Amino acid sequence: MLNELQDVIPGVLKDIFEDSYEHGILPEDWKSSIISAVFKKGKKSLVENYRPISLTCITCKLMESIIRDQMMDYFLSNKLFNKYQYGFIKGRSVVLQLLKIIDDWLLNLENGNQIDAIYTDFEKAFDKVPHKRLLNKLLSYRVDSKLITWIESFLCHRTQRVRINGVLSNSQNVLSGIPQGTVLGPLLFIIFINDLPDACTNLSKIFLFADDAKLYKCISDISDCEKLSDSGQHLSDWSEKWCMKLNIDKCKVLSVKRKDGIKFPYGFSKCNNNFALEHVDHIKDLGVIIDKDLCFDLHISEKVNKAFQMLGIINRTFVDIDIITFLLLYKTMVRSHLEFAGSVWNPYKINQIQSLEKVQKRATKLVKSCKNLSYKDRLIHLKLPTLKFRRLRGDMIEVFKILNGYYDESCVPNLPRNFDTRTRGNSLKLMHVRTKLDMRKFSFCSRVVGYWNSLPDYVVKATSVNMFKNSLDKLWINEEMYYDFEANISCTCI
């Protein structure tokens, strides 16, 4: 309806928005929401395994988006966001955080050390945020007083109803928390949790993605373990102070090491009680399974199984599928699982590469006109590149974004530039770093150097991401790897 009335309604909405902001009052319809319970993981019979998404007024969301953009610009221009927070902030992402952490871990492993990481979990983090304390934090960041008054009205005195199977519950008052599903909610939450790293960084490193926090430290002796344990206790103390309860049962410890090392009993102390943390061999970190050897076997296996499940759904649903429909379904429902955060876990072992490629091999056989062709010929017929090529292309896109300022410079992994004009390569070439371990040699920061340096200037100096993608595709479209995953890019600089 708003779209159809776009030539008529903007003036009316402008008056409503200005009046709402000027007086710090929201219409009652804007402050009532219907809760849709979205399943996360675990047992479906447990209420705590569902995420409460608030379905709110679309008109309110329009005003929220305006306020969100202005607040984001204010915090970014004044550099108020903590550099360890990667969630919901322009120029930061899941991939960037994982690349930076993995690069740091591999460097320490190569020096013979181990890394201990404490993964924490806040219990119903968005729902536990106390309104008054959030407003005080906004005041400390010198946010405009009118805006704080509007946000107070936005958060307080809300009502909500739960809808399950089309049946609505009775209306209830909302006493705390930031409504999930709103436009402004994520920004308000990262502002509330913005000072958490300051409580921990003097003893260890901490990285956040919204409410997902992990502490880690390079361990060379028992004193390093004690410092990490103290840092974890500081995080626990912060959570108690700001009413953000930790779910101890879901807090885990992962030790990344090449050989037998130190196993320290980490835990939290609360009300004179000690709570020990469980040591695990692997953990899912922002959608990527990190194991103690950093080999990503479990992650690749899980993604391959998930992709085959989606492929089975397509096969059972469509008896005869044409090329256009197949490509749309395959790229959306199958290949997306195999490429999420690919720059983090990009495999170099033959069995892992073959395992991933096997999904696309089977998928291309769904098209009847391709059944009797070889895998390479099927890809040529469908104009579909190998997954190995797609991962390499994704690496180059990430490097382009890092070097050309598309990401926040304080949050990117280290890619040292090579300014020596006597060596071959483009004007943005990278420096080769000596490595001892294969896992570091084939990690993102090392494996991209040769490929990137081999690119001509007109590609690396593209003025936009899309122009870079188009130039790169034209340069590499005749490479054997495009349709043959057993081949390599013929780059003279590698």
Side-chain angles (χ1 to χ4, degrees):
M1 185 186 71
L2 292 174
N3 184 57
E4 292 295 326
L5 296 175
Q6 58 182 298
D7 296 329
V8 181
I9 207 170
V12 178
L13 291 180
K14 175 177 175 292
D15 292 340
I16 294 174
F17 292 169
E18 288 180 347
D19 197 52
S20 174
Y21 181 78
E22 193 66 29
H23 295 90
I25 299 173
L26 279 73
E28 290 301 317
D29 286 347
W30 289 13
K31 299 172 67 172
S32 63
S33 58
I34 296 175
I35 300 298
S36 177
V38 177
F39 176 69
K40 294 189 292 184
K41 59 182 178 180
K43 293 183 179 180
K44 291 189 175 182
S45 58
L46 298 178
V47 175
E48 57 266 28
N49 291 334
Y50 289 81
R51 190 185 304 279
I53 301 299
S54 297
L55 305 178
T56 57
C57 178
I58 299 297
T59 309
C60 181
K61 287 186 175 182
L62 290 175
M63 186 169 181
E64 285 180 66
S65 65
I66 297 171
I67 291 176
R68 187 266 321 271
D69 292 343
Q70 295 299 316
M71 287 185 66
M72 184 67 75
D73 289 342
Y74 171 74
F75 272 78
L76 289 174
S77 60
N78 290 282
K79 298 182 179 179
L80 298 177
F81 285 125
N82 200 300
K83 67 179 181 178
Y84 298 106
Q85 173 63 266
Y86 282 72
F88 308 119
I89 300 176
K90 183 181 178 181
R92 309 183 189 184
S93 67
V94 168
V95 173
L96 272 187
Q97 185 186 116
L98 292 176
L99 286 177
K100 193 172 181 67
I101 290 173
I102 296 298
D103 184 54
D104 190 25
W105 288 6
L106 289 173
L107 177 61
N108 283 292
L109 285 177
E110 198 168 63
N111 293 330
N113 299 314
Q114 77 176 56
I115 297 92
D116 282 1
I118 300 176
Y119 285 81
T120 64
D121 183 85
F122 289 105
E123 187 178 289
K124 303 293 182 184
F126 276 71
D127 301 327
K128 295 289 181 68
V129 175
H131 296 156
K132 293 297 182 183
R133 299 190 183 198
L134 170 59
L135 295 172
N136 286 334
K137 287 194 174 185
L138 290 174
L139 187 63
S140 70
Y141 288 118
R142 298 184 178 179
V143 175
D144 183 77
S145 58
K146 279 188 177 181
L147 181 54
I148 294 178
T149 303
W150 190 91
I151 292 174
E152 181 179 11
S153 180
F154 171 77
L155 292 174
C156 301
H157 310 297
R158 299 185 69 92
T159 60
Q160 64 185 27
R161 293 184 293 171
V162 180
R163 181 167 59 195
I164 298 178
N165 296 329
V167 180
L168 286 171
S169 69
N170 294 326
S171 182
Q172 296 290 332
N173 294 325
V174 180
L175 302 179
S176 66
I178 297 171
Q180 299 184 63
T182 58
V183 175
L184 197 55
L187 176 58
L188 293 177
F189 181 82
I190 62 174
I191 291 173
F192 180 77
I193 205 173
N194 195 46
D195 63 323
L196 171 57
D198 297 335
C200 309
T201 49
N202 60 327
L203 295 173
S204 66
K205 293 185 179 180
I206 180 172
F207 283 85
L208 298 168
F209 194 92
D211 61 326
D212 290 322
K214 48 185 167 285
L215 297 159
Y216 75 85
K217 188 172 182 62
C218 171
I219 305 298
S220 56
D221 53 46
I222 197 70
S223 64
D224 292 323
C225 297
E226 293 171 349
K227 289 178 181 178
L228 179 59
S229 181
D230 291 341
S231 184
Q233 187 58 48
H234 289 171
L235 186 148
S236 177
D237 294 340
W238 181 95
S239 67
E240 290 293 318
K241 176 182 177 181
W242 294 100
C243 303
M244 297 283 288
K245 185 179 178 182
L246 280 173
N247 190 338
I248 304 295
D249 292 336
K250 292 185 178 180
C251 295
K252 309 292 181 183
V253 178
L254 176 69
S255 294
V256 180
K257 51 193 174 183
R258 296 179 59 206
K259 54 186 179 180
D260 292 338
I262 304 171
K263 188 172 182 179
F264 188 84
Y266 296 99
F268 297 134
S269 295
K270 289 184 179 183
C271 303
N272 298 322
N273 293 321
N274 295 322
F275 300 91
L277 300 183
E278 179 187 357
H279 285 257
V280 295
D281 292 333
H282 64 273
I283 194 166
K284 181 167 283 190
D285 186 357
L286 303 178
V288 177
I289 298 178
I290 308 291
D291 56 72
K292 63 179 182 180
D293 301 316
L294 293 183
C295 64
F296 299 106
D297 281 335
L298 290 173
H299 177 77
I300 292 173
S301 177
E302 183 193 70
K303 292 303 175 183
V304 167
N305 291 337
K306 183 64 177 179
F308 273 128
Q309 289 177 14
M310 302 309 296
L311 203 58
I313 293 174
I314 296 174
N315 189 31
R316 292 190 297 271
T317 306
F318 295 87
V319 177
D320 188 8
I321 187 169
D322 61 86
I323 293 177
I324 295 176
T325 305
F326 165 76
L327 290 175
L328 178 63
L329 292 171
Y330 171 70
K331 291 177 182 179
T332 306
M333 297 178 62
V334 181
R335 194 171 71 179
S336 57
H337 289 287
L338 301 175
E339 293 187 338
F340 174 72
S343 296
V344 178
W345 52 266
N346 193 340
Y348 65 91
K349 296 179 181 178
I350 295 176
N351 64 323
Q352 292 177 331
I353 295 172
Q354 290 176 339
S355 177
L356 290 163
E357 212 70 40
K358 192 180 293 183
V359 178
Q360 188 159 275
K361 277 186 178 181
R362 184 177 298 180
T364 52
K365 289 183 178 180
L366 294 180
V367 182
K368 285 188 176 180
S369 59
C370 297
K371 280 191 175 180
N372 297 323
L373 301 177
S374 65
Y375 178 46
K376 182 177 179 179
D377 290 337
R378 293 199 298 273
L379 294 181
I380 294 172
H381 182 69
L382 297 170
K383 296 180 181 180
L384 201 63
T386 61
L387 296 175
K388 183 180 178 181
F389 175 84
R390 291 273 304 173
R391 290 192 295 273
L392 174 58
R393 179 179 181 270
D395 282 349
M396 295 299 100
I397 294 171
E398 289 297 327
V399 176
F400 176 80
K401 290 180 178 179
I402 291 171
L403 296 182
N404 288 276
Y406 287 88
Y407 291 135
D408 188 335
E409 293 182 359
S410 65
C411 301
V412 297
N414 184 31
L415 290 175
R417 290 280 305 281
N418 183 354
F419 296 100
D420 190 350
T421 57
R422 296 171 298 175
T423 58
R424 289 179 298 172
N426 55 63
S427 56
L428 295 177
K429 60 181 178 287
L430 302 175
M431 183 182 297
H432 285 275
V433 179
R434 291 181 177 272
T435 58
K436 301 176 184 177
L437 302 177
D438 278 350
M439 65 174 68
R440 187 169 180 230
K441 177 182 176 183
F442 293 101
S443 67
F444 175 80
C445 292
S446 297
R447 69 171 180 265
V448 300
V449 175
Y451 293 108
W452 178 261
N453 290 350
S454 70
L455 299 177
D457 256 350
Y458 76 87
V459 176
V460 301
K461 286 190 172 182
T463 56
S464 68
V465 176
N466 284 334
M467 186 178 291
F468 174 78
K469 291 178 181 178
N470 294 333
S471 301
L472 185 65
D473 290 340
K474 290 179 181 178
L475 178 68
W476 280 355
I477 194 168
N478 294 321
E479 292 287 342
E480 288 188 32
M481 189 198 290
Y482 198 89
Y483 293 122
D484 183 4
F485 73 93
E486 296 179 346
N488 289 310
I489 296 291
S490 55
C491 298
T492 55
C493 293
I494 297 177

